[in-house]
Amino acid sequence: MALYSPFKNYIWNLSVAIAMESGGQIGEIVDMCQPILDAANEGADAGTPAFMREWAKMGEKLLALADEDAAKGRAFSASNKLERASLYLFTAERMQGHGHPGRTETFAKAREAFDRSTRLGRINRERVEIPLDTGTMPALWTRAPGDGAMPAVVFCNGLDSCKELLYWTRLPEELARRGISTLCVDQPGSGEALRLQGLPVDPHSESWASKAVDWLEGRDEVDAKRIGMTGISLGGHFAPRAVAYEPRFASGAVWGANHNWREVQDKRMQREGENPVPHYWAHVHWAFGAEDQEDFLEKSSGMNLNGHMDRITVPFLVTHGANDRQISPTYADDLYEQLVNSPRREKMIFTEREGGVEHVGADNMAYGRDLLSDWFAETLGGQAG
C-alpha cells in the first residue's frame, strides 16, 4: 500500500498520513513517531496517551519557536510554525478517547494557534458562525479573489475531522485559484460543534447544509445560483443527502463515497474493515449523543442513501480510492448508479496509476484535490486554467 506506515496498526498510520498531507514536516513527524513505536504495538486504543504526549510536545515546542519569531517581527515565519503546531495538537487530540485527560485543553491550544496563525500569516480564511436552529455551526470562509459575485462550495467534515483539517486539504486554496470561494464547516457531530456545543450528528444533513446556503446567499461576493456542496469521508454521505434535499445546490461531489454508512457499522461489529479512529465505538456514541450501542444503532439507522439519490438533478461527481480499507469502493458504484436524474454524473476510482488509493486519498490528496477543484470550476462557472 502507498500509505506511509511507521506503525503496525492502520489507525495510527492513518493519522500520520493525514498529518503529512496536511502540511506536517517529515523530520518532525519522524521525531514524534520514533519514541512511540513500541506503544503502537499495544493496540490502536491502548497506546494513545503516548501518542498524545509526543505529538503535543512537538506542538508546544513549535508554539515557543513561533513566539520567538513573532518577538523579532517575523510574522510569516511565526505563522508557519503555528500552522504545524496547530496541526500536531489537533492530531494528538483526535486520537484520544472521549473524556481523556488533557483532550479539552489540547483542542483549545490547537484552535488558538490556528487563529493566531491566520492573523500573523494574513491567510485567506475567516472564522464565521452560522446560526442553526440550536446553536451555531463554526466555519472557515476562504474567499476567491476578484470583484463581483463568485461561485462558492460548502465543504463538510467526516466523522472525526474538523474544519481546520478541511482547510489543510488545500481544496479551498485550489478552488480560490479557480475563482470559487469555500465554506469549511464544523457541522453538528464534528469539530467545535460537538466539542464546545455538544451538538450531535444530524443524519438529515440538509437541515444544517441549508443554513450554510442561507448564509452564503447573504454575502454580496457570492452568486447564489452557483453554490456547490462536497464532503470528505462520512461527508461523502452528508453531501449527497444535502444535495438531494436542498434544491439551491447547483453541483455536488464526494471525496469518498459513504453510501450506506449504517451497513458499514454492521460490518465493523463483525470486524470487517478498518476503523478511522481509536476508541471507535465510544467516539460514535459521543458524536451521535447515544447512551449505548443500541441507541447509536437506532440513531444511525437512516444513514443509507438508497432511495434518495434519484432526487439529485444537478451535476454530481463520485470519487473513491481503489484500496480504501474503511469504506468499500462498491459504495461508489452504488452512488453513481443511483444518480439517474443527474444531467452530468461522473465517477473516478483512484488507482495505483494516479495515487490517492487509500481512504479519502490519505496516501496522496493531490489527485482528489485537483479533480474536485476542476469539477466545480466546470459545473459552477469557475476557471480551470
Side-chain angles (χ1 to χ4, degrees):
M1 297 294 181
L3 197 71
Y4 176 58
S5 301
F7 301 117
K8 292 184 179 179
N9 71 71
Y10 168 84
I11 295 176
W12 286 37
N13 290 332
L14 179 68
S15 283
V16 171
I18 291 171
M20 290 174 67
E21 286 296 302
S22 299
Q25 292 293 129
I26 184 64
E28 291 168 348
I29 287 173
V30 169
D31 287 347
M32 290 185 288
C33 292
Q34 196 66 34
I36 55 176
L37 293 175
D38 291 339
N41 297 336
E42 300 173 17
D45 295 357
T48 53
F51 192 105
M52 167 81 93
R53 182 187 68 242
E54 292 301 322
W55 284 63
K57 183 169 70 174
M58 180 64 76
E60 295 283 358
K61 182 179 85 168
L62 287 165
L63 291 176
L65 291 170
D67 285 341
E68 294 174 14
D69 282 339
K72 297 173 183 176
R74 298 169 181 170
F76 291 158
S77 293
S79 173
N80 290 340
K81 294 178 180 64
L82 287 166
E83 287 290 286
R84 300 201 306 281
S86 179
L87 169 61
Y88 299 152
L89 291 167
F90 275 126
T91 303
E93 186 270 349
R94 176 182 171 275
M95 287 282 285
Q96 307 309 305
H98 178 45
H100 179 83
R103 184 171 190 180
T104 299
E105 295 79 5
T106 302
F107 186 76
K109 284 183 181 180
R111 284 187 58 238
E112 182 181 4
F114 187 90
D115 290 346
R116 188 177 174 212
S117 176
T118 302
R119 294 191 300 271
L120 291 177
R122 303 177 196 171
I123 299 173
N124 178 18
R125 61 192 186 206
E126 175 191 357
R127 177 189 167 82
V128 301
E129 298 269 348
I130 297 169
L132 300 175
D133 291 338
T134 300
T136 65
M137 184 162 59
L140 294 172
W141 175 236
T142 297
R143 183 173 175 177
D147 299 323
M150 304 283 199
V153 169
V154 179
F155 187 14
C156 74
N157 284 315
L159 175 70
D160 50 279
S161 55
C162 58
K163 64 188 180 303
E164 292 81 5
L165 284 170
L166 296 183
Y167 178 83
W168 285 322
T169 65
R170 290 177 47 209
L171 181 63
E173 176 185 334
E174 289 298 327
L175 285 171
R177 190 179 181 187
R178 291 161 172 80
I180 302 170
S181 301
T182 307
L183 186 68
C184 298
V185 300
D186 274 345
Q187 78 268 13
S190 70
E192 289 182 48
L194 174 64
R195 288 160 176 79
L196 303 185
Q197 300 184 56
L199 299 180
V201 170
D202 181 353
H204 297 156
S205 53
E206 66 274 13
S207 63
W208 48 262
S210 294
K211 301 298 186 182
V213 177
D214 292 343
W215 186 87
L216 289 169
E217 286 186 333
R219 307 285 292 200
D220 292 338
E221 70 269 29
V222 174
D223 183 345
K225 300 297 184 183
R226 296 188 289 163
I227 297 175
M229 173 82 182
T230 191
I232 195 166
S233 192
L234 185 55
H237 178 95
F238 294 135
R241 166 89 195 196
V243 174
Y245 284 92
E246 172 47 77
R248 291 176 292 175
F249 283 121
S251 179
V254 296
W255 201 341
N258 230 314
H259 189 76
N260 191 341
W261 197 71
R262 177 60 184 82
E263 184 176 76
V264 171
Q265 307 319 298
D266 293 333
K267 293 179 179 180
R268 284 179 176 162
M269 285 188 289
Q270 300 301 318
R271 299 185 181 276
E272 295 181 26
E274 298 282 1
N275 291 336
V277 288
H279 316 283
Y280 177 74
W281 295 112
H283 181 84
V284 294
H285 294 173
W286 174 41
F288 277 77
E291 296 180 359
D292 52 27
Q293 186 72 350
E294 182 179 358
D295 189 28
F296 161 66
L297 293 174
E298 174 60 28
K299 289 179 184 296
S300 63
S301 61
M303 295 187 67
N304 177 354
L305 296 178
N306 289 326
H308 299 281
M309 294 299 92
D310 61 341
R311 296 176 60 98
I312 292 180
T313 58
V314 298
F316 205 95
L317 170 67
V318 180
T319 75
H320 210 89
N323 295 331
D324 190 327
R325 287 179 263 178
Q326 292 184 47
I327 306 296
S328 170
T330 60
Y331 288 124
D333 298 333
D334 292 340
L335 176 55
Y336 175 78
E337 290 166 3
Q338 293 178 28
L339 294 169
V340 293
N341 291 317
S342 169
R344 177 180 173 183
R345 57 175 176 169
E346 293 186 16
K347 178 178 68 175
M348 178 63 181
I349 305 296
F350 295 110
T351 67
E352 292 182 3
R353 178 175 180 267
E354 302 89 23
V357 300
E358 291 281 352
H359 183 65
V360 300
D363 56 306
N364 187 341
M365 286 187 166
Y367 293 98
R369 178 171 60 238
D370 286 349
L371 180 56
L372 266 70
S373 300
D374 288 338
W375 172 261
F376 284 118
E378 293 169 4
T379 58
L380 294 178
Q383 306 94 35

